[in-house]
Amino acid sequence: MNEKNKKIIAITDDDSSIRMSIERTIKKYFQDIEILQFTNTTEIKKFLLNNPDKIDLLILDIYFGFGETGLDILPNIKEFSPNLPIILLSAMEKNYGQKITDRAGDYIIDFVAKPATETELIIKIKKALTTKEDKTKTIEDLQKENYLLTEMLDIKGKGAGQLFEDEVNNKLKNMTKVFMQSPYEPKENIIINGQEIDVIAFTASPLPFAIMLFEAKYFPNAKIIGNINDPTKIIINNIEKISTKRRNLFEQSENQFKQVSKRIEKVLYDFKYTKKEEKLRPFIQNFIVFTDTTDISQIKTINANKYTKICKLKDLTQDFLIKTAFATPRRTVEENVKTIILQNLF
């Protein structure tokens, strides 16, 4: 039996770098977790045969280069450990993910594509561990719940949306030309004129001054359909869902833009900056970021304004941000205007 309050997660993959990466991610978000690593199907089968109740979750790769696959050993695993939750891991999600999930059927509770984002991986692990403790839930119940992971899960006191925002912000902090150093550090979840702004960043000198807003959304393995200025449809596992909280995908982004613009104008007005040839706000760019597994190819952007850009987390690079934010000609903001805004915006 496991030590009290201690969970054991087994990772089976022939790539040691993947195993170590997953282990680091898990230990970053969970306490009292023990990780066991296995390199092939023979090792994990032998372990479960001798220790059928020791593992609380198995993260299992599908292909090991040669021999039997993760799919092949699923019946054996269920024979040894019938209540063991299994998350399949594969790099083939784009073309074969659904087929693999269908083939695995009730042997697994979920599927994660490589490379998995931290947010997606941790939320699915949390869901699997929680469900294992609830003896009233069946595998089918868990599969249905995993189709829509936007519910708030208690991971270090954070929900799914906050986890994804953290993932976005941590990536941005490594971009030396985007974030300015102290005292102008990035701001998260601040309130400007009553409007909550998820993340604000500034470009570093000598680039033109800009503010970028990030509206982080978490719809893993989903398809988003609709026009940016109309209610959007969310399709998950061929089931249509409607985002009742934010039916208009860009509504909050537009509100953020307006609120920051008004605040900047007020700051400059209070400092009696009245140069007629200077616009009273620097250029503001909105970036709406999705998880890498979200299909955004069918979002219609014909009515999009030039201040809004949608992208996936993997596309969120320093070059992408800079080229997007400064794609159109604009006035260079004077240094004194930069200083006034940066010191008085919040």
Side-chain angles (χ1 to χ4, degrees), residues 147 234-241:
Y147 292 147
I234 305 170
I235 311 297
I236 301 177
N237 195 40
N238 297 319
I239 299 174
E240 181 178 318
K241 306 284 185 178

Side-chain angles (χ1 to χ4, degrees), residues 279-294:
K279 290 184 178 180
L280 294 183
R281 64 172 181 250
F283 181 75
I284 303 172
Q285 180 71 46
N286 294 310
F287 291 87
I288 298 183
V289 187
F290 292 87
T291 59
D292 293 340
T293 57
T294 303

Side-chain angles (χ1 to χ4, degrees), residues 211-342:
I211 297 178
M212 289 169 280
L213 311 180
F214 291 82
E215 165 68 349
K217 292 182 176 294
Y218 188 79
F219 296 123
N221 301 315
K223 179 183 294 184
I224 313 296
I225 300 176
N227 190 293
I228 63 168
N229 293 320
D230 298 321
T232 53
K233 297 179 181 178
I234 305 170
I235 311 297
I236 301 177
N237 195 40
N238 297 319
I239 299 174
E240 181 178 318
K241 306 284 185 178
I242 296 294
S243 175
T244 56
K245 186 177 180 181
R246 296 171 182 169
R247 292 178 61 87
N248 186 331
L249 186 63
F250 284 69
E251 181 178 359
Q252 183 168 352
S253 179
E254 287 293 304
N255 288 338
Q256 289 176 345
F257 179 90
K258 293 175 183 177
Q259 294 297 333
V260 175
S261 298
K262 290 179 182 178
R263 179 59 181 162
I264 290 174
E265 291 181 2
K266 184 179 186 306
V267 168
L268 293 175
Y269 178 80
D270 289 344
F271 277 83
K272 297 180 171 46
Y273 187 86
T274 57
K275 295 181 70 172
K276 298 298 183 182
E277 67 273 17
E278 178 79 36
K279 290 184 178 180
L280 294 183
R281 64 172 181 250
F283 181 75
I284 303 172
Q285 180 71 46
N286 294 310
F287 291 87
I288 298 183
V289 187
F290 292 87
T291 59
D292 293 340
T293 57
T294 303
D295 183 353
I296 59 176
S297 62
Q298 296 190 42
I299 297 180
K300 297 179 181 179
T301 58
I302 189 171
N303 294 327
N305 64 45
K306 61 184 178 180
Y307 306 120
T308 301
K309 184 73 173 180
I310 63 174
C311 64
K312 295 187 177 183
L313 183 62
K314 64 182 180 181
D315 301 320
L316 207 60
T317 65
Q318 182 166 271
D319 287 343
F320 174 80
L321 294 180
I322 293 172
K323 289 178 180 178
T324 302
F326 307 113
T328 57
R330 62 187 58 82
R331 295 180 177 89
T332 300
V333 180
E334 296 179 1
E335 286 300 320
N336 66 319
V337 176
K338 279 189 187 182
T339 301
I340 291 173
I341 294 174
L342 289 174

Side-chain angles (χ1 to χ4, degrees), residues 161-173:
Q162 184 61 54
L163 272 176
F164 188 48
E165 289 180 29
D166 289 347
E167 195 169 352
V168 171
N169 201 46
N170 288 336
K171 189 171 183 179
L172 292 172
K173 285 180 179 178

Side-chain angles (χ1 to χ4, degrees), residues 69-85:
T69 68
L71 288 171
D72 294 332
I73 69 168
L74 287 177
N76 302 118
I77 294 175
K78 285 303 178 182
E79 179 183 353
F80 305 146
S81 307
N83 297 319
L84 175 62

